[in-house]
Amino acid sequence: VSAARQQAAREHAPVLATVPFAGQPARVLALPLQPPPALLVLGAGPDAVPLARFAAQLGFLVTVCDHRPALAQAARFAGCTVHCLDPARLAVQLSVSAFDAAVIMSHHLPSDRIYLEALAAAPQPGFVGLLGPAARRERLLSEIGPAAAGLTGRLRAPVGLDIGARTPEAIALA
């Protein structure tokens, strides 16, 4: 079965194969299954709510983290895992490398710097988005110094498309 499964994974297509099972040939169907993408949202402000909702509706496994108890509430983020934790505890309490993508959007410069530094130290996620203008990105990268090299090829900042978004929903869409 493993050869059929390996072929299916390589081709990303179902494979029907005959394999020996208990001394008899058996027909098996090997289907490649990918886990849903995992998104880490760092910040739980008003614009994080529609972003998390849109991602969850698209099938992402969404985790939201914020240091502010008034914002990091599960009731605000239906279908998401929510953690209220100090930014300095992020890499201790969560395996950031387990996520496919992360978006930093706490709107709190000291927290965003710590989040960015934690993500720079991890080999994953492969996509790191930073909300805010280019000047903010440059300031944060300067503050984390040589550690910023860990974000090379992964950081998208400012994150999203410039569609003139002003509302939380439009920002999330962008």
Side-chain angles (χ1 to χ4, degrees):
V1 176
S2 64
R5 187 172 57 226
Q6 289 172 356
Q7 181 183 348
R10 276 193 309 275
E11 296 176 4
H12 300 290
V15 172
L16 190 58
T18 303
V19 297
F21 179 75
Q24 298 292 321
R27 299 275 292 160
V28 297
L29 176 64
L31 298 171
L33 299 176
Q34 296 294 323
L39 172 65
L40 178 60
V41 179
L42 298 166
D47 50 352
V49 174
L51 175 67
R53 183 177 65 245
F54 293 165
Q57 288 172 340
L58 290 170
F60 283 69
L61 297 177
V62 181
T63 299
V64 179
C65 296
D66 200 296
H67 65 282
R68 300 163 287 197
L71 297 177
Q73 296 182 13
R76 297 180 66 230
F77 296 95
C80 302
T81 301
V82 180
H83 298 279
C84 184
L85 56 88
D86 183 277
R89 306 269 317 143
L90 175 67
V92 174
Q93 290 189 239
L94 292 178
S95 174
V96 295
S97 288
F99 293 90
D100 299 296
V103 178
I104 302 170
M105 54 189 312
S106 77
H107 301 281
H108 182 248
L109 197 64
S111 295
D112 287 355
R113 182 189 59 74
I114 295 169
Y115 290 143
L116 197 60
E117 196 165 27
L119 293 167
Q124 291 290 332
F127 177 95
V128 176
L130 175 65
L131 194 68
R136 188 172 196 276
R137 173 196 67 220
E138 293 308 315
R139 177 178 174 181
L140 287 167
L141 291 174
S142 174
E143 288 180 11
I144 68 171
L151 295 164
T152 302
R154 299 189 295 143
L155 181 64
R156 304 296 183 271
V159 68
L161 302 173
D162 185 2
I163 61 172
R166 300 286 178 256
T167 66
E169 292 77 13
I171 292 168
L173 177 63

